Amino acid sequence: MWIFGHSKHISPALDKSGLIPVHIAIIMDGNGRWASKRGLPRNAGHREGANTLKRIVRICDEIGVKFLTVYAFSTENWNRPKDEVDALMSLLLEFLKNADNELAGKNIRIRVIGESEGLSNEIKKEIARITSNTMNNTGLTLLIALNYGSRTEITNAAARIAREVKRGTLNPEDINEKLFSRYLYTSDIPDPDLVIRPSGEHRISNFLLWQSSYSEFWYSDILWPDFSKKYLIEAITEFQRRNRRFGGL
Ligand code: FPP
């Protein structure tokens, strides 16, 4: 199913008659390079990236985007040096702890997708707290992909389905795309319409592989900490120009 949202407060540069993507997904890439270019430690780039995220969440909410999924930490990111992993985890913890205050009055719902196994108890506790504190909000839903990897997500879905078949609670004949997608972390979320990847990379990097089958992709050389409203509007304007056929004519 394909639903379009309509903008609430339209920025002057946005086409007023244009359709606003319901769901935008972003690979927040280029933090490390942003820092290196300034002679700063990589972690300074991640901190600036988190600030950019806060600004982009507000702007997406203002223009009427309903879901924003951001790739904060992949299952592969554990392979980075320990001090970088630790810095990313404490940044995430800080973000989750301050989210109520910083987004106060913004009516934003926060959810985390990914594997909880491997995360510290402190982070797990904060995830549970912020999820429950914001679950009744009706504005933008921010989905933070944390300890996320699409292959793990799909493999776990297949394993759960297999267990149900073995138990006799699921009929193999009933397995179809719609049923399968209900076993993913994003079971109740529409697929992303637009996937944004800054920093000059053109990979999908194990992000929303199933869900982005028909997404439009927008790439830019801009590094994530420098991403701003201007680029978001550029991406949405380009999205509005594309002719989405979903395999049809
Ligand atoms: C990729 O850039 C970015 C990450 C692995 C982490 C993204 C995290 C944040 C933006 C901040 C924390 C998130 C939240 C939700 C508070 P990179 O380090 O690979 O950049 P590079 O390619 O330039 O090295």
Side-chain angles (χ1 to χ4, degrees), residues 28-33 42 46 49 53 72 77 80 88 92 95:
M28 304 184 290
D29 199 8
N31 298 339
R33 276 164 285 165
R42 290 178 56 81
H46 294 314
L53 172 61
N77 286 152
R80 294 194 176 200
L88 276 167
L92 279 155
F95 182 91

Side-chain angles (χ1 to χ4, degrees), residues 138-155:
T138 53
L140 174 129
T141 299
L142 171 65
L143 289 132
I144 303 174
L146 172 55
N147 198 16
Y148 175 89
S150 267
R151 288 183 172 181
T152 300
E153 177 183 35
I154 294 169
T155 309

Side-chain angles (χ1 to χ4, degrees), residues 27-36 42 45-54 70-74 77 80 84 87-89 91-96 142 144-145 197 199 201 203 223-225:
I27 301 178
M28 304 184 290
D29 199 8
N31 298 339
R33 276 164 285 165
W34 182 93
S36 305
R42 290 178 56 81
H46 294 314
R47 179 162 291 278
E48 202 48 43
N51 290 334
T52 299
L53 172 61
K54 289 175 206 161
V70 292
Y71 209 0
F73 193 90
S74 75
N77 286 152
R80 294 194 176 200
E84 185 166 343
L88 276 167
M89 287 299 155
L91 207 51
L92 279 155
L93 190 63
E94 191 182 316
F95 182 91
L96 295 168
L142 171 65
I144 303 174
R197 179 155 200 170
S199 96
E201 309 290 355
R203 288 184 293 275
L223 303 175
W224 174 249

Side-chain angles (χ1 to χ4, degrees), residues 65-114:
V65 173
K66 287 290 169 203
F67 300 91
L68 175 66
T69 304
V70 292
Y71 209 0
F73 193 90
S74 75
T75 44
E76 290 73 33
N77 286 152
W78 295 109
N79 298 326
R80 294 194 176 200
K82 186 179 180 301
D83 75 316
E84 185 166 343
V85 170
D86 290 348
L88 276 167
M89 287 299 155
S90 54
L91 207 51
L92 279 155
L93 190 63
E94 191 182 316
F95 182 91
L96 295 168
K97 279 188 171 160
N98 296 333
D100 316 55
N101 278 341
E102 291 186 348
L103 302 172
K106 285 285 167 203
N107 200 18
I108 286 169
R109 199 153 56 125
I110 298 184
R111 281 177 48 180
V112 174
I113 57 170

Side-chain angles (χ1 to χ4, degrees), residues 146-174:
L146 172 55
N147 198 16
Y148 175 89
S150 267
R151 288 183 172 181
T152 300
E153 177 183 35
I154 294 169
T155 309
N156 288 351
R160 275 173 59 210
I161 289 173
R163 280 195 293 272
E164 291 195 24
V165 169
K166 193 174 173 196
R167 265 203 311 268
T169 52
L170 183 66
N171 218 329
E173 287 73 43
D174 293 334

Side-chain angles (χ1 to χ4, degrees), residues 9-248:
H9 312 284
I10 296 171
S11 150
L14 257 189
D15 174 4
K16 294 187 186 203
S17 62
L19 299 161
I20 300 297
V22 173
H23 184 172
I24 297 182
I26 306 182
I27 301 178
M28 304 184 290
D29 199 8
N31 298 339
R33 276 164 285 165
W34 182 93
S36 305
K37 267 171 64 182
R38 286 163 180 76
L40 298 168
R42 290 178 56 81
N43 297 339
H46 294 314
R47 179 162 291 278
E48 202 48 43
N51 290 334
T52 299
L53 172 61
K54 289 175 206 161
R55 289 193 292 272
I56 295 300
V57 168
R58 289 198 191 89
I59 297 164
C60 281
D61 185 48
E62 275 163 25
I63 63 178
V65 173
K66 287 290 169 203
F67 300 91
L68 175 66
T69 304
V70 292
Y71 209 0
F73 193 90
S74 75
T75 44
E76 290 73 33
N77 286 152
W78 295 109
N79 298 326
R80 294 194 176 200
K82 186 179 180 301
D83 75 316
E84 185 166 343
V85 170
D86 290 348
L88 276 167
M89 287 299 155
S90 54
L91 207 51
L92 279 155
L93 190 63
E94 191 182 316
F95 182 91
L96 295 168
K97 279 188 171 160
N98 296 333
D100 316 55
N101 278 341
E102 291 186 348
L103 302 172
K106 285 285 167 203
N107 200 18
I108 286 169
R109 199 153 56 125
I110 298 184
R111 281 177 48 180
V112 174
I113 57 170
E115 285 302 295
S116 63
E117 204 184 311
L119 299 176
S120 72
N121 287 337
E122 210 182 359
I123 290 199
K124 284 193 238 179
K125 211 176 92 195
E126 270 311 306
I127 292 174
R129 189 192 65 79
I130 195 76
T131 307
S132 115
N133 279 4
T134 62
M135 70 188 290
N136 293 322
N137 289 349
T138 53
L140 174 129
T141 299
L142 171 65
L143 289 132
I144 303 174
L146 172 55
N147 198 16
Y148 175 89
S150 267
R151 288 183 172 181
T152 300
E153 177 183 35
I154 294 169
T155 309
N156 288 351
R160 275 173 59 210
I161 289 173
R163 280 195 293 272
E164 291 195 24
V165 169
K166 193 174 173 196
R167 265 203 311 268
T169 52
L170 183 66
N171 218 329
E173 287 73 43
D174 293 334
I175 302 171
N176 54 32
E177 290 182 12
K178 200 168 166 210
L179 178 131
F180 196 93
S181 61
R182 285 208 295 268
Y183 287 77
L184 301 174
Y185 307 128
T186 50
S187 57
D188 51 346
I189 309 287
D191 287 341
D193 307 300
L194 173 63
V195 177
I196 292 177
R197 179 155 200 170
S199 96
E201 309 290 355
H202 295 76
R203 288 184 293 275
I204 187 75
S205 300
N206 204 11
F207 185 50
L208 304 177
L209 295 182
W210 173 285
Q211 298 87 338
S212 66
S213 294
Y214 282 101
S215 304
E216 294 294 331
F217 284 76
W218 187 85
Y219 302 104
S220 160
D221 287 341
I222 194 81
L223 303 175
W224 174 249
D226 290 328
F227 193 86
S228 63
K229 184 172 185 177
K230 171 177 176 274
Y231 299 100
L232 181 70
I233 289 176
E234 231 179 89
I236 296 178
T237 305
E238 167 71 25
F239 167 82
Q240 290 173 335
R241 277 197 219 108
R242 298 207 190 153
N243 175 13
R244 302 182 80 200
R245 290 189 296 273
F246 299 95

